[in-house]
Amino acid sequence: MTALLERLGAQARRCELGIDRRAKAARVAAYASQVPLLTDGQPPLSEPGGLPSTERYWVVR
């Protein structure tokens, strides 16, 4: 990623935000047919325990 940023003359900043795992799991559960495709034997993403407590985003400028 560093080489791409240098080539574009851009900078990246990492942001980590806490999430409401119950609310997100409820939203993910609306896509029931796709949830099994997103997991690999781990707790499903449609259950709060299957989600991380934070999400990472990158702001690129």
Side-chain angles (χ1 to χ4, degrees):
M1 184 162 122
T2 303
L4 176 61
L5 291 171
E6 288 176 7
R7 191 169 79 223
L8 296 174
Q11 295 179 345
R13 181 173 50 100
R14 182 174 80 180
C15 300
E16 291 190 13
L17 303 172
I19 64 166
D20 180 340
R21 294 193 298 180
R22 287 182 191 221
K24 182 160 185 169
R27 289 192 302 273
V28 170
Y31 300 93
S33 65
Q34 298 174 30
V35 170
L37 302 172
L38 299 172
T39 59
D40 186 22
Q42 300 173 10
L45 300 176
S46 56
E47 294 180 15
L51 295 167
S53 60
T54 60
E55 291 185 340
R56 182 176 301 142
Y57 298 92
W58 292 90
V59 178
V60 178
R61 295 181 183 206

